[in-house]
Amino acid sequence: MPEDVFKALADPTRRRILDELAERDGQSLFEICARLATKHGLGLSRQAISQHLAVLEAAELVRSRRQGRYKFHDLNTAPLERIVARWLKPPEEETGP
């Protein structure tokens, strides 16, 4: 599982998609494309963004839900939280000087 997360995070376009979802959850593919184009100057096709979203979904970093004809995408931070928990100790577990 962490390997999929690291692979998904390795691409700068996918990290920008996650940034956009962190700023505003529940976006459609069209909205994500528009935000990437206007804020980051990325003129990628909807198909290219859709493929990036598929990688993020496979890594469980993005969840999709359908409402009528539309598909909305939400950020899922659980895989990141598992990675943090694996390597970082909470402050109460750290030992003193």
Side-chain angles (χ1 to χ4, degrees):
M1 167 83 142
E3 295 79 22
D4 291 343
V5 174
F6 292 129
K7 176 185 170 191
L9 293 173
D11 186 276
T13 300
R14 289 193 283 270
R15 291 193 305 270
R16 284 192 178 113
I17 291 170
L18 293 175
D19 288 341
E20 291 304 318
L21 291 174
E23 190 174 303
R24 199 175 119 241
D25 241 356
Q27 295 184 57
S28 68
L29 176 61
F30 177 78
E31 291 171 303
I32 293 169
C33 291
R35 288 173 68 99
L36 291 175
T38 57
K39 289 177 70 178
H40 303 284
L42 294 176
L44 298 171
S45 68
R46 286 192 291 184
Q47 182 181 6
I49 300 299
S50 182
Q51 290 172 344
H52 283 298
L53 284 167
V55 172
L56 292 168
E57 284 185 60
E60 298 180 8
L61 289 165
V62 170
R63 290 186 180 142
S64 297
R65 56 188 163 80
R66 287 205 176 271
Q67 286 183 326
R69 295 180 11 186
Y70 299 100
K71 185 176 181 182
F72 297 96
H73 306 279
D74 298 296
L75 177 64
N76 178 27
T77 59
L80 299 173
E81 292 165 6
R82 287 191 291 270
I83 289 170
V84 169
R86 179 176 175 179
W87 285 302
L88 297 179
K89 294 180 183 179
E92 63 271 4
E93 289 185 20
E94 292 179 9
T95 58

